[in-house]
Amino acid sequence: MGTQEQPCYTLIQGPTDTEQPSEMTLKQDLENGDIPVKTAALKKVIQLILNGERLPGILMTVIRFVMPSEDHTIKKLLLVFWEIVPKTTPDGKLLQEMILVCDAYRKDLSHPNEFIRGSTLRFLCKLKEPELLEPLMPTIRTCLEHRHSYVRRNAVLAIFTIYKNFDFLIPDAPELISNFLEGEQDMSCKRNAFMMLIHADQERALTYLSTCIDQVNSFGDILQLVIVELIYKVCHANPGERARFIRCIYNLLNSNSPAVRYEAAGTLVTLSSAPTAIKAAANCYIELIVKESDNNVKLIVLDRLVALKDSPQQEKILQELAMDVLRILSTPDLEVRKKTLNLALELVTMRSVNEMVEVLKKEVGKTHNTVEHEDTGKYRQLLVRTLHTISMKFPDVAANVIPILMDFLSDNNELAATDVLVFVREAIQRFEGLRPQIIERLLSALPTICSVTVQCHTLWILGEYASSSGEVSGVVSAVRGSLGELPIVEDEMRKAAGEAGEEEGSGDKATQQQQQQQKVTADGTYASQSAFSTTTSVRKADDRPPLRKYLLEGNFYLGAVIANTLVKLAFRYTSLESELSKQNAFCAEVMLVISSIVHLGKSGLPQKSMTDDDYDRMMLCLQVVSERTPSLASVFTKQCRAALSHMLTAKTEEEEALRRDRKASKVIEHVDDHIAFSHLTKGGDLSSTDDMFDLSMSMAVSGGKKEGIDLTTSKLSKVTQLTGFSDPVYAEAYVHINQYDIVLDVLIVNQTADTLQNCTLELATLGDLKLVEKPQPVVLAPHDFCNIKANVKVASTENGFIFGNIVYDVKGSTSDRNVVILNDIHVDIMDYIVPASCTDLEFRQMWLDFEWENKVSVNTQMTELKAYLDYLCKSTNMKCLTPEKALGGTGDYMAANLYAHSIFGEDALANLSIEKPLGNPDSAVTGHIRIRAKSQGMAISLGDRVNKVQKATIKSVGG
């Protein structure tokens, strides 16, 4: 083996760019310098010893010239020095000089200054030489009676450590500490003493706890935490003790310390599965979340509350606390609110649904009347989705939810309004009794909607579900009212001509109006106000009806939606109205609206010209209205709704399948679990419920198949060979990636017959990687080997490279330094991204927001579309968002959306569009993959990964 590091407990990082002082210079500074010079020299000595330097002559200098100093800084540095300096000869015997050091320890333990005594006692906890500790034992014992608590508590720690390592030095330590505990009043001292008894003599700890179990609530929090730890260990090792101590845990749930309440609640859940215990622990968790200010603490405790729900028995108990869980919504943090709403959704029942809906409606109202903020809009979105899910789960409450959500259609937050419409669309499809109420609400909200996307969704719902002649006429009237006077182009031309005339007329009267309108300012002087007409063209544009304003801005996709809606209404009106003249009049009105929009698109008045797709769609609608054949009527009035119904059914089935899989993955009872018959056990025996010790034991002795991959195999797969077998120095690295850190464990083997001196691993990085520290040089004997570790920090999700070389000197050689070039280590993006889920609306919004796109052509020999998609998802850690039913069946083309999330908070989107040539089933898949991300590195790295896995498919098929 190579040079082994000395045991060390305190690490001090020194500067690497300064020249190292010589041993002679350090001796002179320690002998003749004043206090600041001695302090600086002692620091340098400590740094040199930590870096592996041997300074054999420095020990006596320190003993003679530094130890007698009474300066506190030097005494603190001396404790570090004595900790790291070699104390034995090469054959393992204690150095003679250490006798003098031991005498100095004894003096410091009797020092009148309590800080020096306490720090020396803490230092003694780190000594591993019993020869040095043995003469100090009587002095350490006397420190237990010191007047200051700092000395006493460190004396207890020193005795605990010495007893744990060398029990022969103080065999009566448990009895000594037990007597000390009975007479001690300071909480920190009692805590250390009690902790020692827990680990050294548990029976004495239990005896002490039994004598003061009724006074536990008056103890300090540090002692209460240790008591909770003792009860947890004792009750798991001996379940029969639960009845003795469970009342104490109940009492600690009311402690003043949040940490004690948290630990007591966790211990209570593991000790008992009784409903009262679960309810008390859950209430404690909820109180902690509500009262704690740190969001990280809230999330941790909330995770424990969510974990309680995994057990079916505990879930029933938590359902009674569903309304208490909603108290957590008072927290302003969005992540806490999101987890809370998800938990509440899983706990809601028929008994609590009405009350929960009322609370959520109040929360929705609060977001509506507050100052708009980014998190406010997202929270509103979460509330809308939660109410949506509750309404689908419990249809009886949908009628109460719809009115308040309709107010958000005119909201400036487009995402919240869109979520409301998604809910309305599903509600109007599933609950026929609510359709008239929803249609009426949508018609009243239509003029106030301020988003083009929301207008499109609203018009589609109105066109699809307006069923009576009154509703159909109401929708057409609302559309005409939002478009203004028809035809649009002629009306706009008239308004433009009228505005020009008004401006010319106002110019002649300007002087007269200025003379008539004079105002007095604050200082008493006159000021004239211009009285030109304020009814400018900008003002006119703002006063336009909403649909016309959007069309004049160039949003002609909205025009196509209006045309499509009117066609559906025309077919529905003709089926309801038997009189032919009224049918023709209605269809003529519809054609007038559509042709007016088409004329506007071709007139040049809008800010953007109409696209060919929108034009073709509107002209098709005109032709459909003019012909009105039964086949076209079926397409517009029946098949659209059937497609929606099919989509909603598929979505429901997918959610049910996920829920079933989640339940199936939970092991309710293990194979080797003991069966507890409650009627055959004693009433006071609490060990029959939730016996975690028995569960752990049965899992340990069971011979069941272990899931997961072999750890040895997974480690070997991450070993990278850095040099060749014929190189003088062989090197290989195990790359261990843990979120933001990369640890390189490099094995270096000296394959020569020479001693390699100053063998240094020099590394550099490319990409968003940063080397934390430079590896220290080592000395390798002939055919020796050693391990060197290097840490690399990762800053973002993109591919990176680590490269470098090994530099060494050969002992006795006069030539220059030798260099071995290392192979590059490739840091893969796959180690940082994980599959994730998002809604279709969120995917589209991110697709619009992300500016970096990488288009990758499909290049593979695979012939199955679905097989290629599955291979791509598996190889890139991305999740397919497209429902499984939409991908099923046979066909010659496929489109799918993929999504992944990185540990750095970055999102990656991908759209897969692939096809196969018609009539050639054996041909390879073709197409392209469009990748979008917020950062350029993410998009490029993911594209490189796709190209790499595609090449692997070509090689495998070719082989």
Side-chain angles (χ1 to χ4, degrees):
M1 280 294 291
T3 56
Q4 295 183 353
E5 294 183 359
Q6 294 291 327
C8 182
Y9 308 93
T10 306
L11 296 177
I12 300 176
Q13 177 63 34
T16 57
D17 54 348
T18 57
E19 184 179 355
Q20 291 186 356
S22 64
E23 186 176 350
M24 186 61 66
T25 305
L26 292 172
K27 282 186 176 181
Q28 291 175 356
D29 290 342
L30 292 173
E31 289 177 10
N32 306 321
D34 55 5
I35 295 298
V37 175
K38 286 185 177 181
T39 302
L42 192 55
K43 287 181 179 179
K44 291 177 182 177
V45 169
I46 292 171
Q47 291 168 0
L48 289 175
I49 294 177
L50 284 174
N51 290 333
E53 295 290 336
R54 300 287 181 180
L55 302 174
I58 211 79
L59 183 60
M60 278 308 297
T61 304
V62 172
I63 293 174
R64 290 177 57 197
F65 298 100
V66 182
M67 272 182 58
S69 173
E70 292 294 325
D71 183 73
H72 284 196
T73 304
I74 288 182
K75 283 194 173 290
K76 287 167 66 177
L77 289 173
L78 278 175
L79 294 178
V80 180
F81 175 77
W82 297 129
E83 182 183 339
I84 65 173
V85 74
K87 304 175 187 66
T88 57
T89 59
D91 57 356
K93 293 183 179 180
L94 194 69
L95 291 172
Q96 294 296 327
E97 294 89 339
M98 298 310 294
I99 298 175
L100 300 174
V101 178
C102 186
D103 186 59
Y105 293 159
R106 189 185 302 109
K107 290 179 180 178
D108 284 344
L109 288 176
S110 303
H111 200 281
N113 186 296
E114 62 271 7
F115 170 75
I116 293 177
R117 278 202 189 196
S119 56
T120 306
L121 287 166
R122 289 181 67 86
F123 159 70
L124 293 181
C125 296
K126 302 176 182 180
L127 282 184
K128 301 297 181 184
E129 290 79 20
E131 298 91 342
L132 286 175
L133 293 169
E134 187 174 6
L136 304 175
M137 295 312 302
T139 316
I140 295 174
R141 285 173 178 264
T142 59
C143 288
L144 288 174
E145 301 172 1
H146 194 271
R147 59 180 176 79
H148 204 283
S149 61
Y150 178 70
V151 177
R152 297 199 303 274
R153 69 167 173 261
N154 283 305
V156 173
L157 281 180
I159 291 174
F160 178 28
T161 309
I162 294 170
Y163 179 76
K164 185 170 61 174
N165 296 328
F166 315 106
D167 56 350
F168 58 89
L169 293 179
I170 182 167
D172 61 336
E175 183 181 357
L176 179 67
I177 296 300
S178 178
N179 296 332
F180 168 81
L181 184 60
E182 291 177 359
E184 181 58 51
Q185 297 299 322
D186 183 76
M187 282 301 163
S188 60
C189 298
K190 292 177 77 171
R191 179 257 180 196
N192 289 354
F194 193 72
M195 186 180 67
M196 175 188 167
L197 290 181
I198 290 175
H199 295 279
D201 193 343
Q202 203 171 87
E203 284 300 323
R204 290 182 185 270
L206 289 174
T207 303
Y208 173 76
L209 180 59
S210 299
T211 60
C212 59
I213 197 166
D214 295 330
Q215 305 165 10
V216 167
N217 280 345
S218 61
F219 291 166
D221 56 347
I222 55 175
L223 183 56
Q224 288 177 341
L225 283 172
V226 180
I227 290 173
V228 172
E229 178 188 353
L230 172 65
I231 294 174
Y232 180 83
K233 287 183 176 180
V234 170
C235 293
H236 277 191
N238 185 9
E241 295 283 348
R242 293 183 181 184
R244 180 180 172 191
F245 294 111
I246 201 163
R247 178 52 55 190
C248 179
I249 294 294
Y250 269 109
N251 293 335
L252 288 176
L253 289 178
N254 300 318
S255 171
N256 295 326
S257 168
V260 174
R261 295 204 302 273
Y262 174 75
E263 292 295 338
T267 303
L268 183 61
V269 170
T270 59
L271 296 184
S272 173
S273 61
T276 52
I278 302 300
K279 196 169 184 178
N283 276 321
C284 181
Y285 283 146
I286 293 170
E287 289 294 329
L288 284 172
I289 299 170
V290 172
K291 294 181 179 179
E292 188 61 39
S293 58
D294 190 345
N295 287 329
N296 293 319
V297 175
K298 289 177 182 285
L299 289 170
I300 291 170
V301 181
L302 192 55
D303 285 337
R304 295 294 295 267
L305 197 59
V306 172
L308 280 180
K309 178 190 59 61
D310 291 341
S311 171
Q313 293 84 4
Q314 295 174 0
E315 185 176 12
K316 293 178 181 178
I317 301 167
L318 286 178
Q319 286 174 353
E320 301 175 10
L321 303 175
M323 299 311 301
D324 292 325
V325 169
L326 291 182
R327 291 168 53 203
I328 305 173
L329 292 178
S330 59
T331 304
D333 184 68
L334 186 66
E335 189 65 27
V336 175
R337 286 172 162 176
K338 184 177 181 181
K339 282 193 173 185
T340 304
L341 289 173
N342 289 336
L343 177 61
L345 268 179
E346 296 180 355
L347 297 179
V348 64
T349 59
M350 281 297 296
R351 295 173 58 187
S352 60
V353 63
N354 290 317
E355 196 175 351
M356 183 176 290
V357 166
E358 291 301 320
V359 173
L360 294 178
K361 284 166 66 175
K362 289 179 182 177
E363 288 293 320
V364 169
K366 291 177 185 177
T367 64
H368 203 54
N369 300 323
T370 55
V371 179
E372 191 63 32
H373 186 266
E374 182 183 0
D375 283 350
T376 307
K378 291 181 179 178
Y379 179 46
R380 192 180 303 154
Q381 222 179 328
L382 288 175
L383 290 171
V384 169
R385 291 180 184 174
T386 306
L387 287 169
H388 176 186
T389 307
I390 291 176
S391 299
M392 295 303 110
K393 195 174 179 181
F394 304 98
D396 295 340
V397 302
N400 297 329
V401 172
I402 289 173
I404 192 168
L405 292 185
M406 286 293 187
D407 296 337
F408 287 110
L409 293 179
S410 57
D411 196 84
N412 291 326
N413 185 1
E414 183 179 307
L415 294 176
T418 308
D419 279 336
V420 170
L421 284 173
V422 170
F423 163 58
V424 169
R425 183 186 66 185
E426 188 168 355
I428 203 171
Q429 167 68 19
R430 294 190 174 179
F431 312 132
E432 294 187 12
L434 298 177
R435 287 180 184 176
Q437 177 187 354
I438 295 176
I439 295 292
E440 182 183 353
R441 288 274 183 174
L442 288 177
L443 285 175
S444 62
L446 189 63
T448 62
I449 294 175
C450 50
S451 167
V452 178
T453 306
V454 179
Q455 285 276 14
C456 292
H457 285 72
T458 307
L459 289 170
W460 187 92
I461 294 174
L462 288 173
E464 189 65 46
Y465 292 99
S467 53
S468 65
S469 58
E471 290 174 350
V472 171
S473 302
V475 174
V476 174
S477 300
V479 170
R480 287 205 60 169
S482 295
L483 285 172
E485 190 176 344
L486 299 178
I488 300 175
V489 175
E490 285 75 1
D491 187 50
E492 286 294 318
M493 297 296 287
R494 284 196 303 272
K495 287 182 179 179
E499 288 169 13
E502 288 176 7
E503 289 178 3
E504 291 176 3
S506 63
D508 297 336
K509 301 176 181 178
T511 307
Q512 180 183 356
Q513 290 172 343
Q514 286 178 348
Q515 292 174 354
Q516 291 173 351
Q517 295 192 15
Q518 287 185 328
K519 293 198 173 185
V520 182
T521 60
D523 58 357
T525 59
Y526 286 100
S528 60
Q529 181 182 18
S530 177
F532 286 107
S533 174
T534 56
T535 314
T536 61
S537 58
V538 177
R539 179 74 175 270
K540 291 284 187 183
D542 292 339
D543 290 341
R544 288 192 180 102
L547 292 183
R548 178 180 291 196
K549 184 173 70 173
Y550 297 142
L551 291 173
L552 286 170
E553 290 172 357
N555 294 308
F556 280 96
Y557 176 72
L558 175 62
V561 173
I562 294 172
N564 198 56
T565 300
L566 293 176
V567 170
K568 291 180 181 178
L569 295 174
F571 279 121
R572 199 158 290 121
Y573 187 84
T574 53
S575 64
L576 295 170
E577 183 59 53
S578 58
E579 192 173 341
L580 188 59
S581 60
K582 290 184 178 180
Q583 292 180 7
N584 292 335
F586 187 90
C587 293
E589 186 178 6
V590 167
M591 295 175 75
L592 172 63
V593 174
I594 298 174
S595 59
S596 178
I597 296 173
V598 173
H599 187 200
L600 176 64
K602 294 295 185 180
S603 66
L605 289 176
Q607 298 175 11
K608 298 176 185 177
S609 58
M610 181 170 54
T611 63
D612 292 338
D613 289 341
D614 295 334
Y615 174 76
D616 292 342
R617 181 68 177 177
M618 284 187 275
M619 293 305 295
L620 175 64
C621 290
L622 276 174
Q623 185 177 356
V624 169
V625 174
S626 64
E627 295 179 0
R628 301 201 298 276
T629 59
S631 58
L632 291 173
S634 173
V635 170
F636 277 87
T637 59
K638 295 180 181 179
Q639 294 183 19
C640 289
R641 193 176 301 184
L644 173 63
S645 177
H646 181 69
M647 185 194 77
L648 294 177
T649 304
K651 180 182 175 183
T652 305
E653 291 176 356
E654 186 178 0
E655 291 174 353
E656 284 294 328
L658 287 174
R659 196 176 294 112
R660 284 196 302 269
D661 292 342
R662 202 179 299 120
K663 286 185 177 180
S665 63
K666 296 177 186 175
V667 180
I668 298 175
E669 293 291 339
H670 290 271
V671 175
D672 296 321
D673 275 354
H674 294 290
I675 301 176
F677 297 94
S678 57
H679 292 287
L680 301 179
T681 56
K682 296 179 182 179
D685 187 8
L686 299 176
S687 63
S688 60
T689 58
D690 194 19
D691 195 338
M692 298 297 294
F693 178 76
D694 284 348
L695 177 61
S696 303
M697 181 62 71
S698 63
M699 291 176 67
V701 301
S702 62
K705 182 181 177 182
K706 295 181 179 178
E707 296 187 3
I709 58 175
D710 186 13
L711 290 177
T712 307
T713 308
S714 66
K715 269 197 168 186
L716 291 176
S717 66
K718 293 188 177 182
V719 172
T720 304
Q721 185 175 340
L722 301 180
T723 63
F725 292 110
S726 59
D727 287 323
V729 177
Y730 173 76
E732 64 182 25
Y734 166 61
V735 184
H736 177 67
I737 296 176
N738 182 20
Q739 291 195 347
Y740 303 96
D741 299 319
I742 300 176
V743 179
L744 300 179
D745 190 353
V746 184
L747 171 67
I748 298 179
V749 182
N750 180 9
Q751 301 192 108
T752 67
D754 300 320
T755 300
L756 306 184
Q757 294 182 334
N758 292 326
C759 184
T760 307
L761 176 65
E762 297 180 346
L763 297 174
T765 59
L766 181 66
D768 261 351
L769 305 174
K770 181 182 178 183
L771 192 65
V772 176
E773 57 185 353
K774 183 180 179 182
Q776 296 295 325
V778 295
V779 177
L780 286 177
H783 304 291
D784 196 2
F785 66 92
C786 70
N787 286 78
I788 297 178
K789 290 188 177 182
N791 293 318
V792 178
K793 285 285 183 183
V794 187
S796 67
T797 312
E798 61 178 81
N799 291 332
F801 293 91
I802 303 172
F803 56 94
N805 48 50
I806 295 176
V807 183
Y808 61 92
D809 295 328
V810 179
K811 187 175 183 181
S813 175
T814 58
S815 61
D816 294 334
R817 301 199 75 183
N818 300 279
V819 179
V820 178
I821 308 297
L822 304 179
N823 289 332
D824 296 342
I825 299 175
H826 179 246
V827 180
D828 200 351
I829 187 178
M830 289 302 101
D831 295 311
Y832 305 112
I833 67 173
V834 292
S837 297
C838 67
T839 64
D840 291 341
L841 292 173
E842 291 171 341
F843 185 90
R844 293 192 193 102
Q845 188 63 39
M846 286 189 287
W847 189 269
L848 292 173
D849 294 342
F850 292 170
E851 55 185 5
W852 292 103
E853 179 172 316
N854 187 9
K855 189 174 181 180
V856 181
S857 298
V858 174
N859 182 18
T860 180
Q861 297 296 325
M862 299 179 73
T863 58
E864 295 293 332
L865 300 176
K866 185 66 168 60
Y868 179 80
L869 172 63
D870 294 339
Y871 175 74
L872 188 68
C873 292
K874 181 180 178 182
S875 305
T876 59
N877 280 358
M878 301 192 81
K879 182 178 180 180
C880 180
L881 300 180
T882 308
E884 190 68 27
K885 286 203 170 186
L887 301 173
T890 58
D892 297 320
Y893 65 91
M894 177 183 287
N897 292 331
L898 311 178
Y899 177 57
H901 189 75
S902 78
I903 63 172
F904 304 100
E906 299 172 319
D907 298 298
L909 312 176
N911 175 258
L912 174 69
S913 300
I914 51 179
E915 62 179 354
K916 290 174 60 176
L918 290 171
N920 190 0
D922 296 329
S923 60
V925 174
T926 60
H928 59 267
I929 305 161
R930 294 169 63 196
I931 300 168
R932 284 204 179 184
K934 202 168 188 178
S935 63
Q936 183 184 17
M938 181 83 161
I940 293 175
S941 300
L942 199 54
D944 293 341
R945 174 67 182 179
V946 171
N947 284 323
K948 181 180 177 181
V949 299
Q950 288 191 139
K951 289 179 182 177
T953 63
I954 297 175
K955 289 180 182 178
S956 62
V957 175

